[in-house]
């Protein structure tokens, strides 16, 4: 009696909304890989505007104008070009986008548990990179500060987590309704 009854169509609309929210959150986790991880300060930007085609990092061909906003994808290319143990950073960065992409696939199929598991993995990898960049003094530094991407990872993870929990609860609610519907049917004669 105290339980609010949600019409079947309302439950379907809520599931669709939760699924869309999971997809949006997972998409944010994927997109963050391509957004600025590091953003240059005004002084660097002014200098870059004077000589935009000067090469900033030769092995990757990154120019000064391209180094004003550096994404994890570009950092992965830089670390990959350095060889040796530096390539571990490249692997972690590509793994971050890889698990985020898997979370996106599961979100698109409406699977809340694997979506949140892979979302946690992407978020954890991004936090590991934030810690590492800060610990080694890569960011912030004299020319660059944190970009938009670390914040997008946080927001994307929160959306994935909330939407996945919501979707999971909706599925449980629907399962309980189906159980009640089956047990409430009168036992009629079988033919």
């Amino acid at each position: 009696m105290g339980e609010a009854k949600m019409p079947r169509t309302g439950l379907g609309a809520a599931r669709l909304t939760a699924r869309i929210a999971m997809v949006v959150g997972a998409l944010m986790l994927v997109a963050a890989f391509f957004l600025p991880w590091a953003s240059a300060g005004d002084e660097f930007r002014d200098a870059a505007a004077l000589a935009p085609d000067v090469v900033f990092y030769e092995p990757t061909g990154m120019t000064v104008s391209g180094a004003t906003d550096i994404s994890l994808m570009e950092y992965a290319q830089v670390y990959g070009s350095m060889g040796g143990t530096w390539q571990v950073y490249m692997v972690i960065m590509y793994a971050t986008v890889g698990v985020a992409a898997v979370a996106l696939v599961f979100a698109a199929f409406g699977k809340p548990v694997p979506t949140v598991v892979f979302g946690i993995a992407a978020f954890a990898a991004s936090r590991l990179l934030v810690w590492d960049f800060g610990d080694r003094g890569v960011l912030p530094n004299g020319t660059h500060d944190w970009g938009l991407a670390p914040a997008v990872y946080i927001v994307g993870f929160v959306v994935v987590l909330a939407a996945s929990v919501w979707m999971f609860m909706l599925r449980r609610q629907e399962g309980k309704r189906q159980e009640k519907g089956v047990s409430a049917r009168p036992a009629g004669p079988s033919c």
Side-chain angles (χ1 to χ4, degrees):
M1 186 164 141
E3 184 180 323
K5 301 281 183 179
M6 184 181 287
R8 184 110 171 105
T9 57
L11 194 58
R15 282 186 64 187
L16 179 62
T17 304
R19 188 173 184 173
I20 289 170
M22 279 192 326
V23 168
V24 168
L27 193 57
M28 290 173 75
L29 293 175
V30 171
F33 183 75
F34 303 99
L35 294 174
W37 184 259
S39 290
D42 293 336
E43 200 172 301
F44 187 92
R45 288 181 187 278
D46 293 341
L50 297 174
D53 296 328
V54 171
V55 175
F56 182 74
Y57 186 70
E58 192 171 339
T60 61
M62 184 185 296
T63 62
V64 174
S65 65
T68 55
D69 293 310
I70 307 171
S71 68
L72 272 182
M73 182 180 73
E74 292 162 328
Y75 270 115
Q77 291 169 350
V78 167
Y79 284 116
S81 72
M82 294 167 75
T85 57
W86 291 107
Q87 290 182 336
V88 170
Y89 291 103
M90 176 191 70
V91 170
I92 293 170
M93 291 172 196
Y94 283 128
T96 303
V97 74
V99 294
V102 173
L104 178 59
V105 169
F106 280 119
F109 285 110
K111 305 291 184 189
V113 174
T115 299
V116 81
V117 167
F118 284 98
I120 288 169
F123 177 70
S126 75
R127 294 293 93 194
L128 173 68
L129 290 170
V130 165
W131 170 79
D132 178 65
F133 273 55
D135 189 55
R136 289 187 296 124
V138 176
L139 289 174
N141 60 37
T143 59
H144 288 73
D145 202 352
W146 293 104
L148 179 64
V152 172
Y153 274 112
I154 293 170
V155 173
F157 172 67
V158 168
V159 171
V160 162
L161 182 63
S164 294
V165 168
W166 185 24
M167 175 70 94
F168 183 77
M169 297 307 290
L170 289 171
R171 284 191 172 177
R172 282 186 55 123
Q173 186 179 19
E174 186 175 299
K176 285 181 182 179
R177 284 203 175 140
Q178 287 177 350
E179 275 182 19
K180 284 182 181 178
V182 169
S183 64
R185 289 185 187 154
S190 56
C191 296

